[in-house]
Amino acid sequence: MAITFTNKAANELKSRLEDSLGPMAQDITAATFHSACVRILRREIERLGYSRNFTIYDTDDSLKVIKEAMKALHMEEKLFAPKAVLSAIGRAKDVLQGPAEMMRQAGTDYRMGSIAKVYEKYQAALKSADAVDFDDIIVLTVRLLEQFPEVLSYYQNRYRYIMVDEYQDTNHAQYRLVSLLAAGHGNLCVVGDDDQSIYKFRGATIENILSFEEQFEKARVIRLEQNYRSTKRILDAANEVIANNTARKGKSLWTGNGEGDKICLYRAGDERAEALFITEEITAHVAAGEAYSDHAVLYRMNAQSGEIERALVKAGIPYKIVGGLRFYERKEIKDLIAYLSVLNNPSDTVRLTRIINEPKRGIGDATVAAVLELSAQVGVHPLKIMSEADQYQRLQRRAAPLRSFADMMQGLMEKALEEPLEILLDAVLDDTGYLSMLQLQGFEGQTRIENIDELRSAIIKFQQESPEGTLSDFLEEVALYTDLDRTDLQDDSVTLMTMHSAKGLEFPYVFVAGCEEGIFPGRMSMNSPDEIEEERRLAYVAITRAKKKLYLTTAAQRMLFGQTTWNKISRFAREIPNELVEVIDTTAPQKRWTGGAREWGIPRSAVRTGDLSAVSGSAKSLPSAPLHPGDTVSHKIFGRGVVLSASPMANDLLVEVSFDKVGTKKLMANFAKLKKIEG
């Protein structure tokens, strides 16, 4: 069995195994941690009191359950933020800590004791709904292996050889899972880079890889130090930076590639000038024959992307953002997935609550609460209660709409047993009235229908790839889907993403924006040596994403979160030797020199030299005819379109327009010379 973290990586493993082994590769399981565990749970979870059709809750679903648990415990959201409570429970699950153990460890700590009480109610609610959250997938699999020796023995014999990719990103629960499976035959191979351990905030622990030889005494260590991606200068820079960490095994990357260009360290006056420089460099590269897709802009936090996006829009450079609103997080998609989930698992009360009055059916919150309470008392799923609503005094006033909803869902359940998933989706859209509701919403509704069409495409693709796949299988695939799995990096557009999202990817040209103290490393990490080492590992990851040319950009002053700050250049930039760097400083009289970052002190904040007119630009007035969502406009190249959104930005408007011929574009209204079409 080969285990990794993303579906994309798992598919790559499968493809390479097929190339090497041919048909024999079919006998090898290559999967993510979660998909491998789901496979085990679908076969064995009844031993733990769940059905094989259990639902996997996403974060939104889990938050609803958390809020209900807090409400039952009379805990105020002002004092206990539900997201923070869910995060604390997730961290407990990462180390296989249950509610009782959390309560014991809390001792006299009121906050943690309160969270432990929520944890207990949360888990009870999940089990009642025949549901698990993402963390439970690992936790319950470990519990199965620990509590049922026959199950452990079966999977130890089934998976006699185990390989784990990206081992530095594992948490304690994943370590325990791997240890249990490997204990039978001792054939365990892990691949990882301790210098790329950057997911501590997700529960990953670098100790798993640092202490591997102690945990597995017969382990043999093989260092893979040749790099086939980057130039020598980029690797030398990465080696010099990471050498400042103490918690590492130690290695020195080398390459057979050439020296390559020096690393460009650019000091802008402000974030606008920084963004302008990035766009100018990309434009120059494309003019020289490079593709937009050869470029990536990395940043420490998503909030940094705004100014860069605006500059790209003005320059007419196509781009995509990795880590924005995920497809399966859009309301209409979540609604339809909720309908499908209830058809698959009628006990799923969270999803049922979401769709029972969507579209409006005259079933209020009080009625829904009464249904759920009766369901818990009687011990049958809510749809059964609704179908017999006239038998319960509390429900008699709303018996008709409840029976109608239950009958509709029963009819759809019957179709779910007989019809292909694509046909089932159409039946849900028609029978529930959801499609009719969207058709009455005008342009916004049409956009949502187009998103549903994309869902239909996903279903068709699933059916093609898994002819025997069931509704449960499809919902499982959706639940385990990640943003990076979906992102098409083959489109000819610049990629914008956080440094964390960039891990595992590579680009010929990489811009690391915001290389300043307080930004990167972040202000919250600067008083903790361990946190600084984590941030330095992130710098190492960012640097090694570049194949041909690396840019580190920084601003003398930056407005972020409504505040202007004057920041030092990041220590990570200053840790790169002088001979590897070309410095360009637009804030000093001498704009370019051969001295490196280590000689580059804090620029004088009062000095702004050089011609910055190109950065500032001339003031432009707002469009003479203000634009609003729903307005029809024309563009001299893109033709006719409809405004989806319009946001004031500086002295212009950033508008999102859906054009009839070329699809959706983001433009600055004055810059693009959009004309409003009246009538």
Side-chain angles (χ1 to χ4, degrees):
M1 179 167 64
I3 309 175
T4 187
F5 280 86
T6 68
N7 292 318
K8 182 172 288 187
N11 291 332
E12 178 70 14
L13 274 172
K14 291 176 184 176
S15 177
R16 295 194 181 193
L17 286 168
E18 288 171 359
D19 290 343
S20 301
L21 303 175
M24 287 190 299
Q26 300 298 321
D27 297 328
I28 301 174
T29 298
T32 66
F33 269 101
H34 288 90
S35 60
C37 287
V38 166
R39 190 174 305 177
I40 294 173
L41 292 176
R42 293 292 183 200
R43 186 176 186 273
E44 310 287 353
I45 200 170
E46 290 176 344
R47 299 170 186 264
L48 298 176
Y50 296 79
S51 82
R52 294 186 179 185
N53 286 334
F54 64 87
T55 299
I56 302 172
Y57 279 179
D58 62 16
T59 301
D60 286 348
D61 298 325
S62 294
L63 280 172
K64 290 176 183 176
V65 182
I66 290 288
K67 289 176 181 179
E68 286 299 317
M70 289 175 58
K71 185 178 179 181
L73 293 167
H74 307 291
M75 292 169 58
E76 295 184 19
E77 292 187 18
K78 293 180 180 178
L79 300 176
F80 296 88
K83 285 186 177 179
V85 173
L86 181 60
S87 179
I89 292 171
R91 288 194 298 271
K93 291 182 179 182
D94 286 341
V95 296
L96 299 174
Q97 186 183 73
E101 188 178 352
M102 179 186 270
M103 180 64 75
R104 284 195 299 273
Q105 287 200 2
T108 58
D109 187 325
Y110 172 74
R111 177 175 176 80
M112 292 309 298
S114 299
I115 292 175
K117 292 177 182 177
V118 177
Y119 187 2
E120 184 178 24
K121 281 192 171 294
Y122 172 69
Q123 289 303 121
L126 288 180
K127 193 163 187 182
S128 176
D130 198 19
V132 302
D133 66 17
F134 214 60
D135 296 315
D136 283 332
I137 293 172
I138 307 294
V139 172
L140 293 178
T141 305
V142 171
R143 189 179 303 171
L144 271 169
L145 299 178
E146 289 181 336
Q147 294 184 1
F148 300 93
E150 67 277 18
V151 175
L152 176 61
S153 178
Y154 173 82
Y155 287 100
Q156 285 178 339
N157 288 318
R158 181 171 180 179
Y159 303 122
R160 296 170 64 91
Y161 298 87
I162 299 171
M163 192 280 285
V164 183
D165 192 23
E166 303 286 1
Y167 191 69
Q168 77 280 346
D169 295 333
T170 54
N171 59 29
H172 176 72
Q174 290 161 336
Y175 157 74
R176 181 62 179 154
L177 173 72
V178 171
S179 298
L180 286 165
L181 291 173
H185 300 279
N187 299 316
L188 173 63
C189 173
V190 305
V191 182
D193 183 357
D194 53 300
D195 290 332
Q196 295 192 52
S197 179
I198 60 173
Y199 293 124
K200 184 179 179 181
F201 68 98
R202 292 183 186 172
T205 172
I206 193 173
E207 285 75 18
N208 285 350
I209 192 167
L210 292 180
S211 60
F212 185 82
E213 296 101 310
E214 299 172 16
Q215 296 162 345
F216 303 95
E217 295 181 357
K218 297 181 180 180
R220 177 187 172 199
V221 178
I222 301 172
R223 283 180 167 79
L224 304 175
E225 296 180 313
Q226 184 175 4
N227 180 289
Y228 300 89
R229 172 190 300 153
S230 306
T231 65
K232 185 177 183 302
R233 281 194 170 109
I234 292 172
L235 293 184
D236 287 348
N239 288 332
E240 289 286 337
V241 171
I242 201 63
N244 291 278
N245 274 9
T246 57
R248 61 190 298 259
K249 287 183 172 296
K251 65 178 182 303
S252 184
L253 296 181
W254 64 275
T255 182
N257 301 334
E259 287 284 321
D261 293 341
K262 284 188 175 184
I263 293 158
C264 178
L265 190 47
Y266 184 84
R267 182 70 160 172
D270 57 22
E271 68 275 9
R272 288 189 180 181
E274 176 189 46
L276 181 63
F277 170 75
I278 292 171
T279 60
E280 288 177 341
E281 288 294 299
I282 294 172
T283 300
H285 293 162
V286 172
E290 305 285 6
Y292 287 116
S293 57
D294 290 336
H295 302 79
V297 184
L298 312 183
Y299 33 78
R300 181 62 181 86
M301 60 188 88
N302 283 305
Q304 293 173 247
S305 74
E307 200 62 55
I308 299 168
E309 286 189 70
R310 286 187 279 275
L312 292 170
V313 168
K314 282 189 174 182
I317 295 174
Y319 70 93
K320 60 176 145 313
I321 297 179
V322 175
L325 184 63
R326 294 175 173 85
F327 176 73
Y328 287 104
E329 291 176 355
R330 296 171 180 172
K331 181 184 181 305
E332 61 275 9
I333 304 302
K334 286 184 73 72
D335 285 346
L336 289 169
I337 294 298
Y339 269 111
L340 296 174
S341 295
V342 174
L343 297 180
N344 184 61
N345 174 16
S347 298
D348 188 347
T349 55
V350 170
R351 305 281 173 82
L352 178 64
T353 303
R354 179 183 183 94
I355 51 96
I356 191 171
N357 212 35
E358 190 70 36
K360 301 295 183 186
R361 299 187 176 91
I363 304 174
D365 292 343
T367 302
V368 174
V371 168
L372 296 181
E373 188 176 332
L374 287 166
S375 173
Q377 290 175 357
V378 179
V380 299
H381 60 74
L383 290 175
K384 178 70 172 174
I385 298 293
M386 292 184 218
S387 67
E388 301 171 350
D390 52 1
Q391 299 181 21
Y392 301 95
Q393 186 176 355
R394 296 171 61 186
L395 303 178
Q396 287 176 351
R397 291 181 59 189
R398 307 306 302 161
L402 288 172
R403 276 199 316 271
S404 176
F405 178 77
D407 291 345
M408 176 193 70
M409 294 299 288
Q410 182 60 44
L412 287 170
M413 284 180 191
E414 293 172 2
K415 292 178 181 178
L417 297 173
E418 302 171 355
E419 303 288 356
L421 293 182
E422 182 188 0
I423 303 300
L424 177 62
L425 176 66
D426 290 334
V428 169
L429 287 167
D430 292 336
D431 294 1
T432 64
Y434 200 92
L435 181 60
S436 299
M437 175 188 71
L438 294 181
Q439 289 171 337
L440 296 173
Q441 293 179 0
F443 188 82
E444 182 182 352
Q446 183 57 42
T447 301
R448 291 183 172 179
I449 291 172
E450 290 171 0
N451 290 336
I452 292 171
D453 288 338
E454 188 172 347
L455 175 62
R456 181 179 288 104
S457 298
I459 287 175
I460 293 171
K461 185 178 180 181
F462 169 79
Q463 292 177 141
Q464 290 172 343
E465 295 177 350
S466 307
E468 303 300 320
T470 63
L471 173 59
S472 181
D473 294 332
F474 174 72
L475 294 171
E476 178 184 306
E477 182 173 285
V478 170
L480 300 178
Y481 211 62
T482 68
D483 192 44
L484 276 175
D485 291 325
R486 186 176 178 276
T487 301
D488 184 6
L489 297 175
Q490 301 305 311
D491 291 344
D492 191 22
S493 56
V494 177
T495 299
L496 274 59
M497 64 177 79
T498 66
M499 300 174 200
H500 284 96
S501 297
K503 190 167 174 292
L505 303 177
E506 59 184 38
F507 301 88
Y509 302 93
V510 171
F511 299 83
V512 183
C515 294
E516 301 142 34
E517 297 285 299
I519 304 292
F520 183 47
R523 205 168 299 281
M524 297 293 290
S525 66
M526 294 175 69
N527 294 323
S528 168
D530 288 345
E531 294 293 334
I532 286 293
E533 293 215 348
E534 177 97 354
E535 291 281 283
R536 187 173 282 110
R537 290 193 291 270
L538 186 58
Y540 177 84
V541 168
I543 291 169
T544 53
R545 297 312 92 195
K547 297 169 69 176
K548 292 174 62 176
K549 178 81 173 183
L550 173 67
Y551 296 82
L552 307 177
T553 65
T554 177
Q557 67 177 45
R558 182 180 301 275
M559 178 174 283
L560 197 62
F561 305 121
Q563 293 185 330
T564 299
T565 58
W566 290 262
N567 303 317
K568 296 181 181 179
I569 297 165
S570 169
R571 68 191 69 189
F572 306 141
R574 290 183 275 118
E575 288 168 355
I576 301 174
N578 296 340
E579 64 269 17
L580 299 177
V581 182
E582 176 192 34
V583 176
I584 305 174
D585 185 5
T586 64
T587 68
Q590 186 179 2
K591 293 184 180 182
R592 187 186 296 258
W593 66 92
T594 57
R598 291 177 175 176
E599 299 175 0
W600 201 13
I602 306 170
R604 294 162 293 181
S605 59
V607 177
R608 285 175 60 100
T609 59
D611 183 12
L612 298 180
S613 61
V615 176
S616 303
S618 58
K620 297 179 179 179
S621 60
L622 291 171
S624 56
L627 301 177
H628 304 282
D631 288 346
T632 302
V633 296
S634 67
H635 185 274
K636 64 179 182 180
I637 297 175
F638 301 143
R640 189 182 180 98
V642 176
V643 177
L644 302 180
S645 65
S647 306
M649 189 170 293
N651 294 309
D652 206 339
L653 280 177
L654 175 65
V655 294
E656 187 174 8
V657 183
S658 176
F659 291 101
D660 296 341
K661 296 180 180 178
V662 296
T664 301
K665 301 276 185 188
K666 288 184 178 179
L667 305 165
M668 301 302 294
N670 277 325
F671 189 85
K673 298 180 179 178
L674 291 174
K675 294 183 179 179
K676 184 176 178 179
I677 301 175
E678 303 291 347

